[in-house]
Amino acid sequence: MIVKLRIDDRLLHGQVAYSWKSALSYNAIVIASDAAAADEFRKGVIKMCCPEGVKLATRSVEEAAKLINNPKLKDMKVFAICGSPTDANGLLKKLEEKPVVNLGGIQMADGKKLFSKAVYVDEEDLRNLDEIAAAGYTIEVQEVPSTAMAKYADLRKKF
């Protein structure tokens, strides 16, 4: 069972791993990222950020969907993490579950504008997020559990 799907371009890092661990009580993390799955160095760095006792899998979006849909994971509390709204949208289209989506962190880059604290988006990000919302997913915008949560739809109206 997916306890939450997070969008964070840094994927897994200490702040996310530990703050969300206490809030969600997850026992597995599935990173869904084509780029990270193909990068052995990055996979090693991600592994170092994983809390002790938590199972970790870094897979392409396609392989992550297969893993998450595997009946063996149904009894586990899975925290899924994607590096972009594009990856999240692709993953969600392949999942049997309909988890809450957490938009937590997208760094500033050329062509991106500030959407909320710690979240910068471009037109492609917005298209994917709008498509996720239109498919009926709840999208919460929140860095970590101790910060205020906003609804994507409310922020989108103002953007």
Side-chain angles (χ1 to χ4, degrees):
M1 163 181 116
I2 301 173
V3 292
K4 197 169 289 270
L5 185 146
R6 180 176 172 86
I7 301 170
D8 188 327
D9 62 359
R10 295 181 294 166
L11 298 174
L12 187 63
H13 49 91
Q15 180 185 30
V16 166
Y18 292 94
S19 64
W20 286 104
K21 174 78 170 107
S22 59
L24 302 174
S25 298
Y26 61 79
N27 51 21
I29 297 172
V30 175
I31 306 288
S33 167
D34 293 344
D39 184 338
E40 291 303 318
F41 178 77
R42 191 165 184 196
K43 284 177 15 182
V45 171
I46 290 168
K47 189 174 183 177
M48 288 190 298
C49 296
C50 188
E52 191 173 325
V54 173
K55 295 186 183 301
L56 172 68
T58 302
R59 302 283 190 274
S60 67
V61 172
E62 184 71 34
E63 290 300 314
K66 289 177 187 174
L67 179 62
I68 292 169
N69 287 329
N70 186 323
K72 292 179 182 177
L73 261 68
K74 295 296 180 205
D75 293 334
M76 297 186 84
K77 291 183 177 181
V78 177
F79 186 29
I81 304 173
C82 294
S84 69
T86 302
D87 284 350
N89 194 16
L91 180 65
L92 290 168
K93 289 177 181 178
K94 295 171 175 59
L95 294 181
E96 297 165 3
E97 297 180 57
K98 204 161 190 153
V100 170
V101 176
N102 165 255
L103 180 56
I106 302 174
Q107 297 176 64
M108 185 174 70
D110 287 342
K112 292 192 185 268
K113 296 179 184 173
L114 182 65
F115 184 75
S116 73
K117 185 180 178 190
V119 177
Y120 291 81
V121 295
D122 60 21
E123 288 303 318
E124 181 182 351
D125 294 330
L126 290 172
R127 273 193 306 277
N128 279 287
L129 290 165
D130 289 347
E131 192 173 316
I132 292 167
Y137 289 90
T138 299
I139 305 175
E140 302 171 342
V141 182
Q142 186 177 29
E143 272 186 278
V144 292
S146 62
T147 60
M149 186 271 289
K151 293 188 181 295
Y152 171 77
D154 294 342
L155 295 174
R156 184 67 169 110
K157 288 176 192 172
K158 298 174 187 177
F159 191 73

